[in-house]
Amino acid sequence: MKTKSTSGQKHKSLLAKGLSLSVLTLGSRILGLIREMTKAKFLGATHLSDAYGIAFMIPNLFRRLFAENSVSVAFIPTFKNHIEDDTEEGKKKTRNFVNATFTLVSFCTVLFVTLGIIFTPFILRIFFKGDANSTLNEAVILTRIMFPYLVVISIAAFFQGILNGLKIFSPSGFTPILFNLIVIISTYVLSPFTKNPARSMAIGVITGGTVQCLFQLPFVLKNGYTIRLTSLKSAFTNEGTKKVLALVGPTIIGMAGYQLNDIVSSALATHAGEGVVSSLQYSLRLQELILGICAVTIGTVILPDLTGFAKKSQWENFNGMLTLAIKLIAFISIPITFYSLVMGENLITLVFASGKFDEDAILMTKEVFNFHIIGLFFIAVNRIVSQAFYAQQNTKSPTIAGLINFGVNILFASAFVFSLKGKGIALALTIASFVNTVMLFVFLKKTPTIDVKSVIVSSIFYCAKLIVFSLAAALSIYFLRIPLVDFFAGHKRIISQGIPVAVTALIFATVGIGLMALTKDSLLKIAVRKFRKQP
């Protein structure tokens, strides 16, 4: 059994890695926002924006389904087990497994993309009504440009899996920065030479994805993994890849249900009126900024360690890291949720209001964002708790939870979309995310090795404290918002909206951190020590 000192060092290590990766992720998400600002400037919330949104969603959806899912659920735990055998025979098996997986990923994605490009017009017809032929035709062209993105980003995810399995996070954390920069630059540079700006953005997507893939390769090679193609027979019969396929197979069903939320929700949104799809995507981009900083970062960091704890049956450390991860999620997401509810309109105006993104688009996006942001904590927690199952190679429970999530989301989205339009779809996602959280903890309770009661009780009390503190901080800026905006009105939006956002954020953070300092919050103390570089 590990000592409390060792456990504390693990917790500090998690914070250190999380803070380091968060810096890169923050940069990536900020550039992601700038990418959306670029999209808003050139495309607005128009039929062309809807066409681009649907076209990008198709390969991106399958990326999440196959690439991210396979890496987090199956590849990293299996790779982690392989590299623990440090003998020559073990190293040979690891190299064979890596090459077999690379072959499998390359073959399957190329085959899938080829079929996808051929059948693109038929796939897209589910999103558009009969009178939207011009939008449909443009979406077909854009989808065919971007579909190969699935191949390069899947290989990039494979390289990321190798590096993360070795606890190397920075190269993979930096590649989204390159991707966003390339899309932004492509839009500005190529727009004069393409039929419309959407096509220049599409070219940027496939170029950026290729760079994401190639950038990580030298780091993989540096760590002794020479990537080669093998025969398909070797790829499918390798013991490691067979284990990966066995692990990922059931989760594809659950993840398919989860990802189908995007397809069905987008299909419903296209029938709710022009610009609804775009408003949902602009809103989700703001939400993903926060998710990327907390949930994705922490989930990426903890999976290799949770897998190691599970393999060695170090359940006290496993429970401690899971609890800490949930508290870190709450530490970030709950205060930001309250701040966003007060300052949402100003944030949206600051980020997106230019070019074709007019007052109607601001209002539409704000209404959607209010319903999206209240589900932020649940979506983030779901990503963290799922890692606890994957670390134990339990893929069945998250699969069932994903299917339940899909059913609940579609049920409520179908019920709300006609009366609430985009707001109804956003509300349905929040309700489904809450139900998903409940189901994951119900399934976790059936895992005898995890002290679920301790995790839940500790997390609930911490979340309750954060809700009270965040409410107090939100009240401190609620009455200042309008006077501040009025005072700076008439200037360019970087001043008229940027200064009120910055001032209110500073006041909100000061009040919140002050209250946490008064209660001697443990996470705040550790974070302060890390920033001061104290042991």
Side-chain angles (χ1 to χ4, degrees), residues 2 95 154 184 193 244 256 306 355 440:
K2 297 287 182 185
R95 287 193 296 269
S154 295
I184 293 165
F193 306 101
V244 167
L306 287 179
L440 284 173

Side-chain angles (χ1 to χ4, degrees), residues 413-425:
S414 301
F416 294 153
V417 67
F418 296 107
S419 58
L420 297 175
K421 297 188 182 298
K423 295 179 290 183
I425 295 174

Side-chain angles (χ1 to χ4, degrees), residues 36 171 174 218 226-227 246 298 397 421 446 463:
E36 289 300 302
F174 183 68
T226 304
I227 307 301
I298 296 169
S397 298
K421 297 188 182 298
K446 297 179 181 179
C463 289

Side-chain angles (χ1 to χ4, degrees), residues 94 122 127 175-176 201 271 311 339 365 372 387 405 408 428 447 454 456 467 475 489 503 516 520:
T94 301
F122 303 98
F127 298 101
T175 57
M201 290 195 78
H271 291 82
K311 184 174 177 61
Y339 177 80
T365 304
H372 268 149
Q387 305 292 51
N405 174 288
V408 171
T447 306
S454 173
I456 292 176
I467 289 171
L475 287 173
V503 170
M516 298 187 78
K520 298 180 180 179

Side-chain angles (χ1 to χ4, degrees), residues 513-531:
I513 292 173
L515 290 170
M516 298 187 78
L518 286 174
T519 58
K520 298 180 180 179
D521 183 84
S522 58
L523 290 187
L524 182 63
K525 288 195 291 186
I526 294 174
V528 169
R529 281 201 298 269
K530 285 297 173 185
F531 278 117

Side-chain angles (χ1 to χ4, degrees), residues 282-350:
Y282 290 130
S283 172
L284 285 171
R285 172 54 62 184
L286 283 177
Q287 189 184 62
E288 285 172 2
L289 169 67
I290 307 152
L291 278 174
I293 297 168
C294 54
V296 177
T297 297
I298 296 169
T300 299
V301 170
I302 69 170
L303 181 58
D305 285 332
L306 287 179
T307 301
F309 290 148
K311 184 174 177 61
K312 297 174 185 176
S313 298
Q314 295 174 348
W315 300 112
E316 184 179 346
N317 286 339
F318 189 103
N319 291 330
M321 180 164 284
L322 179 60
T323 303
L324 176 66
I326 293 172
K327 287 182 176 180
L328 278 170
I329 288 294
F331 184 85
I332 299 169
S333 63
I334 291 176
I336 290 179
T337 296
F338 278 85
Y339 177 80
S340 299
L341 287 171
V342 176
M343 298 296 296
E345 182 176 350
N346 306 95
L347 286 169
I348 292 165
T349 304
L350 173 64

Side-chain angles (χ1 to χ4, degrees), residues 80 147 176 186 235 239 316 384 399 416 433 477:
K80 184 82 174 173
F147 227 133
S186 295
E239 289 298 319
E316 184 179 346
I384 296 302
T399 297
F416 294 153
S433 300
I477 64 172

